[in-house]
């Protein structure tokens, strides 16, 4: 996740940026379409108004300072006076279009004017773009629309032809136009609403920024929680690392003692076999066997712990009948108990836990072996089980010597594993309970004890109850 995070963020940013650009492209295209539709409607409206004008033949308006007779209109009734003495002048479609265009120009956004390749009024002469358009016009369906960029400004230009109709011939027949001829066109310029577009772009950008953040924050939270997990794990590993180093250095030292004893005793036997009597030989062999056993136990436990640390030992939970498992362990340790005249009480009730068989067998065996080890002859060891809250609690009670107060805090400590000799001087490794704790916890349980020096000890551990 650490390496993926920047890639994910960049990918997310690229997706959002891509979507934003696509959106803006669509917005601009739509704006273009809108301007074209607007220009066409504008043109059609102007043509309708012009038809209204030419359809009446004569449309008069009062003359004023702004409204002077049209010098380009050659008509014998161009100017008139009403019965009331008001002077009127005739407005033809071209003059009317110009006047409307001047009014519209005051607004600023859309400008239009009539134009022709052969204008009566020189000011109506077509510019380069209009000339090109007029040259392509053949009939009323020809329309030209183009987006023109000059420097920073953008203009939409639209042009459509004016077709000679019957009502136009009154004035334009003298120019040689016939019905249906393209007489010129109306050119419409629409300025690009940059401010409006920028404002809408700004709003869209804000929305996309929010979308980006909506994806960014969950990713960030996920990354941070993952980081916390990793640092917690690192801390844990570090802790284990430190104590493990210490732990293994102590163990290495411990392993040397029985190994050295085995070597020393076997060499003594080898060298002095014929010089010593049977009794002495027997005592050497007993010591040798004892050292070999301690060495073996230590190695076994170490191997188990190492496999746990390396993660190569996994628990395989199964339906475990604690009664059968505990009675099997009692059976295996019965001889040991009998030698010390210690009573072992079998479990009589079935009780099912969900746990790894080998691990839990080792746990029960270690606790029972300890109980035998730390109980004086004629003592008693009892195993019992209890159910509640979805877990099984196994308790192993002895009537032994109890655990001395200074030792109580240290029996499960990884970096402290001093062993106390048993009541019959049995040696130990000081590692058994550490292994028990690991095994119980890996099976989802807890382990603890209650002990009163001189009275005895009870070890408890829990396991999840097996549910059918
Ligand atoms: P070991 O028994 O090999 O020394 P353990 O880890 O099994 O190692 O036990 C650690 C220590 O806890 C023992 O050395 C002993 O001091 C104490 N202990 C464990 N079980 C009992 C018990 N049932 N009664 C008294 N002391 C005990």
């Amino acid at each position: 996740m650490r390496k993926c995070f920047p890639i994910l963020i960049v990918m997310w940013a690229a997706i959002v940026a891509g979507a934003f650009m696509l959106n803006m492209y669509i917005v601009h295209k739509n704006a273009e379409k809108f301007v074209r539709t607007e220009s066409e409607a504008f043109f059609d409206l102007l043509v309708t108004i012009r038809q209204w004008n030419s359809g009446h033949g004569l449309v008069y308006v009062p003359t004023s300072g702004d409204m002077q007779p049209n010098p380009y209109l050659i008509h014998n009734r161009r100017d008139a006076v009403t019965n009331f003495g008001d002077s009127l002048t005739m407005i033809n479609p071209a003059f009317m279009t110009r006047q409307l265009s001047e009014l519209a120009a005051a607004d600023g956004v859309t400008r239009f004017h009539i134009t022709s390749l052969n204008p009566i009024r020189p000011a109506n002469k077509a510019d380069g773009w209009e000339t090109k358009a007029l040259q392509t016009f053949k009939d009323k369906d020809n329309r030209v629309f183009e987006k023109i960029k000059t420097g920073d400004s953008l203009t939409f230009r639209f042009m459509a032809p004016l077709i000679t109709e019957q009502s136009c011939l009154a004035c334009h027949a003298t120019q040689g136009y016939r019905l249906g001829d393209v007489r010129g066109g109306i050119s419409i310029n629409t300025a690009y609403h940059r401010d409006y577009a920028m404002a809408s772009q700004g709003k869209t950008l804000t929305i996309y920024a929010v979308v980006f953040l909506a994806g960014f924050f969950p990713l960030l939270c996920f990354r941070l929680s993952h980081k916390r997990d990793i640092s917690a794990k690192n801390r844990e590993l570090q802790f284990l690392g430190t104590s493990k180093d210490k732990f293994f250095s102590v163990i290495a030292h411990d392993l040397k003692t029985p190994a050295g004893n085995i070597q020393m005793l076997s060499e003594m036997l080898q060298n002095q076999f014929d010089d010593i009597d049977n009794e002495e030989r027997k005592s050497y062999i007993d010591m040798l066997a004892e050292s070999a056993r301690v060495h073996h136990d230590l190695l076994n436990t170490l191997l188990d712990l190492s496999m746990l640390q390396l993660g190569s030992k996994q628990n395989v939970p199964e339906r475990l009948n604690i009664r059968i498992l505990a009675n099997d362990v009692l059976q295996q340790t019965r001889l040991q108990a009998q030698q010390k005249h210690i009573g072992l009480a079998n479990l009589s009730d079935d009780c099912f836990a969900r746990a790894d068989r080998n691990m839990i067998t080792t746990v029960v065996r270690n606790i029972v072996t300890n109980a035998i080890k730390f109980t004086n002859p004629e003592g008693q060891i009892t195993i019992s089980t209890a159910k509640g809250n979805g877990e099984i609690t196994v308790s192993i009670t002895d009537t032994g010597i109890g655990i001395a107060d200074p030792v109580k805090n240290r029996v499960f400590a990884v970096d402290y594993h001093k062993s106390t000799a048993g009541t019959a001087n049995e040696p130990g490794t000081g590692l058994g309970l550490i292994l028990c704790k690991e095994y119980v916890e890996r099976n989802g349980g807890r382990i603890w004890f209650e002990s009163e020096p001189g009275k005895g000890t009870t070890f408890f551990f829990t396991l999840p109850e097996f549910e059918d």
Side-chain angles (χ1 to χ4, degrees), residues 193-242:
H193 306 253
R194 180 168 287 278
D195 291 348
Y196 171 76
M198 289 312 284
S200 91
Q201 190 158 320
K203 273 182 206 154
T204 315
L205 192 64
T206 313
I207 292 168
Y208 276 84
V210 171
V211 171
F212 172 76
L213 292 177
F216 174 78
F217 280 121
L219 275 173
L220 185 70
C221 291
F222 181 64
R223 161 88 181 99
L224 290 178
S225 70
H226 194 72
K227 204 171 169 180
R228 264 199 300 278
D229 277 3
I230 288 177
S231 41
K233 264 197 186 113
N234 281 345
R235 271 199 303 278
E236 195 182 316
L237 285 176
Q238 229 171 14
F239 163 74
L240 276 180
T242 327

Side-chain angles (χ1 to χ4, degrees), residues 370-371 373-374 398 401-403 407 411 418-420 428-434 457 459:
N370 274 348
K373 207 158 84 177
F374 296 106
D398 65 57
I401 56 171
I403 303 178
V407 181
V411 292
K418 282 265 174 311
S419 177
T420 315
T429 62
L431 293 174
L433 288 174
I434 295 166
T457 306
F459 271 87

Side-chain angles (χ1 to χ4, degrees), residues 136-257:
T136 63
F137 289 161
K138 298 272 181 293
D139 58 44
K140 68 177 176 53
D141 294 329
N142 298 131
R143 296 186 165 196
V144 176
F145 180 78
E146 205 176 324
K147 184 169 74 178
I148 294 179
K149 204 165 183 260
T150 15
D152 258 1
S153 67
L154 196 62
T155 318
F156 293 103
R157 296 201 70 171
F158 173 83
M159 209 171 150
L162 288 171
I163 305 294
T164 312
E165 291 172 11
Q166 189 60 49
S167 54
C168 311
L169 288 174
C171 299
H172 293 284
T174 52
Q175 283 178 286
Y177 287 116
R178 282 168 303 157
L179 205 62
D181 282 352
V182 173
R183 212 179 61 254
I186 294 182
S187 171
I188 301 172
N189 277 19
T190 308
Y192 182 65
H193 306 253
R194 180 168 287 278
D195 291 348
Y196 171 76
M198 289 312 284
S200 91
Q201 190 158 320
K203 273 182 206 154
T204 315
L205 192 64
T206 313
I207 292 168
Y208 276 84
V210 171
V211 171
F212 172 76
L213 292 177
F216 174 78
F217 280 121
L219 275 173
L220 185 70
C221 291
F222 181 64
R223 161 88 181 99
L224 290 178
S225 70
H226 194 72
K227 204 171 169 180
R228 264 199 300 278
D229 277 3
I230 288 177
S231 41
K233 264 197 186 113
N234 281 345
R235 271 199 303 278
E236 195 182 316
L237 285 176
Q238 229 171 14
F239 163 74
L240 276 180
T242 327
S243 47
K244 212 163 54 187
D245 286 351
K246 200 169 162 191
F247 173 71
F248 280 112
S249 73
V250 176
I251 295 303
H253 175 261
D254 282 15
L255 271 175
K256 279 186 199 157
T257 314

Side-chain angles (χ1 to χ4, degrees), residues 39 45 56 63 75 84 89 93 189 231-232 258 287 290 303 357 392 395 399 410 413 427 445 458 468:
S39 305
L45 182 67
H56 283 293
T63 52
H75 199 287
F84 307 104
T89 187
N189 277 19
S231 41
M287 283 191 278
E290 194 61 60
L303 201 64
R357 177 180 301 279
I392 305 281
S395 38
T399 54
R410 307 192 296 235
T458 300
D468 295 307

